C-alpha cells in the first residue's frame, strides 16, 4: 500500500484516505486523525490487541483508560448504561467536546463488550461523539467505536497538528490523516455521570456553567474527583524545558529570568521594561489561547529557548481548561 512506502505517513484527509484509514483500523492498526479538540490516536475499541498497541505507542500507563469515539446516542447505548443525566448532556452537547463516563453495558451480545484493556479494568466507559467531519466519517466507515487518546507520547503536550503527531509518534502509527490545525486546541471536558450528580473530572470546552444549565453538578472535594479520574494521577502536557506560570501582575517572574533566553505566551504583554523575551505570543482572546497553547509549548521548546513563562488566565469560559493544562504542565 502507498502509505507504507511514503516517507512521512501524513496524508490529506480526503475521502480516499479516510477509506484507507478505516481499512487499517478494521485490520487492527493505528490511525491518527483530527477531532475538533486535538488529534487522536485511534484503534478499534472492541479489539483488545489493537488497543494494546495504543498503550505501547504512547508509552501510556495501563491504568489510564481510553475514550470511545462514537457516532451519537444510539451508538453509545450499545456500550454504556445511558441514564437520564447522561442523555440530557448528549442532547445538549453532542456531537462536541464532552466525554461522558458511564457504566459499561453487561450485554449478552459479546460484540458490544468493551474489552478490559480499553477500560483499564474499570466497570465504566468514557464515550464522546466528536464534532469533526473526518472523525465522524472514520467512525462511520469502520462501524466500530474508535478508542483514541490524544496522539502524543505520554506526558507530552497534546498534538494540534498532524506534524506534531509525527514528531511524537512517527513510526508507531500506520497513518496520520491531516485535517489541518484543530479548532479548540485543548481536550474535551470529561464528566462522570455514574452517580446522582455529575462531576467534572477534566475541564474543557463545555464549561461548568454550560453543564449546570442541563444537569445537577457535584460539589465535592478535589480528592474525590482525583480518585475517580485515573488521568489526573500522571504528569501531563509537559514541554521539554521548564515552564513557569505568571499571574499577570507581579514582576518577579521576569526579574528572575534576566540573562536567560525565555519565551512568553499570554493575554497580556510582559512588563515592557523587563521584556527581553526570545519569542513571544500574545493572544487576543482566551479561545485563541486555548487553540494555540499546545502548539506554542512545542514551538518554544524547539526554538532555542531555555524557559517558558505563561500567563495563567482567569477561569471563565475555556480559561478553566487552559489553567488546568498549564498548572499540570508546570507540575504545580
Ligand atoms: O478531546 C479529547 O478528549 C481527545 C480527543 C482525541 O478526543 N482525547 C483525549 O484522550 O484527550 P486522553 O486519553 O488523552 O484523555 C482521556 C481522559 C483521561 O484523563 C482518562 O483518565 C479519562 O479521560 N477517562 C477515560 N475513561 C475513563 C473512565 N472510565 N473513568 C474516568 N476517567 C476516564
Ligand atoms: Mg492525553
Amino acid at each position: 500500500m502507498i502509505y507504507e512506502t511514503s516517507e512521512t505517513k501524513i496524508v490529506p484527509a480526503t475521502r480516499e484516505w479516510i477509506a484507507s484509514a478505516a481499512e487499517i483500523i478494521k485490520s487492527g492498526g493505528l490511525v491518527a486523525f483530527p477531532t475538533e479538540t486535538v488529534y487522536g490516536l485511534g484503534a478499534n475499541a472492541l479489539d483488545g490487541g489493537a488497543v494494546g498497541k495504543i498503550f505501547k505507542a504512547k508509552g501510556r500507563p495501563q491504568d489510564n483508560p481510553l475514550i470511545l469515539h462514537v457516532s451519537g446516542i444510539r451508538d453509545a447505548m450499545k456500550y454504556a448504561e445511558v441514564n437520564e443525566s447522561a442523555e440530557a448532556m448528549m442532547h445538549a452537547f453532542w456531537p462536541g467536546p464532552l466525554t461522558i463516563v458511564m457504566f459499561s453495558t453487561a450485554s449478552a451480545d459479546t460484540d458490544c463488550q468493551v474489552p478490559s484493556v480499553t477500560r483499564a479494568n474499570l466497570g465504566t466507559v468514557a464515550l464522546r461523539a466528536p464534532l469533526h467531519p473526518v472523525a465522524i466519517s472514520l467512525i462511520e466507515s469502520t462501524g466500530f467505536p474508535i478508542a483514541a487518546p490524544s496522539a502524543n507520547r505520554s506526558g507530552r503536550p497534546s498534538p494540534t497538528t498532524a506534524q506534531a503527531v509525527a514528531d511524537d509518534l512517527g513510526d508507531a502509527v500506520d497513518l496520520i490523516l491531516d485535517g489541518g490545525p484543530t479548532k479548540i486546541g485543548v481536550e474535551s471536558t470529561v464528566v462522570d455521570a455514574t452517580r446522582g450528580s455529575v462531576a467534572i473530572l477534566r475541564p474543557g470546552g463545555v464549561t461548568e456553567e454550560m453543564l449546570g444549565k442541563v444537569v445537577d453538578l457535584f460539589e465535592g472535594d478535589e480528592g474525590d474527583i482525583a480518585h475517580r479520574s485515573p488521568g489526573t494521577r500522571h504528569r501531563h502536557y509537559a514541554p521539554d524545558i521548564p515552564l513557569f506560570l505568571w499571574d499577570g501582575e507581579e514582576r518577579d517572574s521576569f526579574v528572575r529570568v534576566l540573562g536567560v533566553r525565555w519565551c512568553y505566551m499570554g493575554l497580556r504583554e510582559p512588563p515592557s521594561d523587563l521584556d527581553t523575551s526570545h519569542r513571544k505570543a500574545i493572544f487576543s482572546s482566551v479561545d485563541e489561547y486555548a487553540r494555540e497553547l499546545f502548539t506554542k509549548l512545542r514551538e518554544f521548546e524547539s526554538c532555542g529557548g531555555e524557559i517558558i513563562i505563561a500567563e495563567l488566565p482567569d477561569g471563565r469560559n475555556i480559561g478553566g481548561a487552559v489553567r488546568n493544562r498549564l498548572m499540570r504542565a508546570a507540575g504545580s
Side-chain angles (χ1 to χ4, degrees), residues 129-308:
L131 179 57
H132 192 291
V134 175
I136 292 169
S137 166
L138 194 59
I139 295 163
E140 283 171 357
S141 352
T142 56
F144 300 122
I146 297 182
S150 49
N152 51 280
R153 233 182 325 113
S154 198
R156 298 261 307 136
S158 297
T160 51
T161 61
Q163 188 57 51
V165 177
D167 292 345
D168 260 26
L169 298 177
D171 291 344
V173 32
D174 296 306
L175 193 71
I176 302 171
L177 290 172
D178 188 351
T182 57
K183 283 215 172 76
I184 298 179
V186 292
E187 310 85 342
S188 62
T189 305
V190 180
V191 294
D192 178 352
T194 61
R195 315 222 184 154
S197 56
V198 170
I200 299 175
L201 305 183
R202 177 176 75 182
V206 176
T207 62
E208 190 174 338
E209 196 197 1
M210 292 158 79
L211 287 163
K213 289 186 181 145
V214 177
V215 289
D216 284 335
L217 285 179
F218 172 79
E219 321 237 350
D221 62 68
E222 285 183 17
D224 183 47
I225 291 192
H227 174 72
R228 293 197 231 172
S229 175
T232 58
R233 287 182 212 133
H234 305 283
R235 180 93 196 272
H236 217 342
Y237 316 116
D240 286 340
I241 55 176
L243 169 67
F244 295 113
L245 306 178
W246 181 48
D247 68 2
E249 295 295 338
E250 45 84 21
R251 293 165 54 86
D252 281 5
S253 302
F254 300 96
V255 174
R256 247 181 278 135
V257 294
L258 284 172
V260 174
R261 267 198 316 278
W262 53 278
C263 303
Y264 172 82
M265 68 174 128
L267 293 160
R268 278 178 249 201
E269 288 280 350
S272 56
D273 55 324
L274 294 173
D275 188 356
T276 56
S277 56
H278 175 65
R279 283 270 181 103
K280 191 164 68 169
I282 308 294
F283 308 119
S284 57
S285 67
V286 74
D287 288 325
E288 189 188 359
Y289 199 162
R291 189 162 57 241
E292 294 290 324
L293 170 66
F294 290 133
T295 313
K296 290 294 168 195
L297 287 179
R298 285 173 178 270
E299 187 186 310
F300 287 170
E301 69 182 11
S302 58
C303 75
E306 296 168 278
I307 281 174
I308 302 171

Side-chain angles (χ1 to χ4, degrees), residues 70-142:
V70 296
S71 58
I73 300 187
R74 284 169 60 113
D75 209 9
M77 286 174 168
K78 296 185 211 158
Y79 313 108
E81 309 277 0
V82 179
N83 62 22
E84 212 177 300
S85 53
E87 190 169 351
M89 290 187 286
M90 290 173 186
H91 279 295
F93 305 112
W94 277 12
L98 181 72
T99 296
I100 307 173
V101 175
M102 292 163 281
F103 287 113
S104 177
T105 45
S107 161
D109 176 359
T110 48
D111 285 352
C112 291
Q113 290 284 14
V114 179
S116 57
V117 56
T118 311
R119 296 180 276 111
N121 285 316
L122 298 173
T124 53
V125 281
L127 263 61
R128 119 169 167 89
L131 179 57
H132 192 291
V134 175
I136 292 169
S137 166
L138 194 59
I139 295 163
E140 283 171 357
S141 352
T142 56

Side-chain angles (χ1 to χ4, degrees), residues 53-73:
K53 291 184 196 168
I54 294 182
F55 283 90
K56 191 156 175 257
K58 282 185 58 107
R60 182 178 177 104
Q62 298 281 345
D63 65 354
N64 196 2
L66 304 179
I67 297 173
L68 270 68
H69 295 69
V70 296
S71 58
I73 300 187

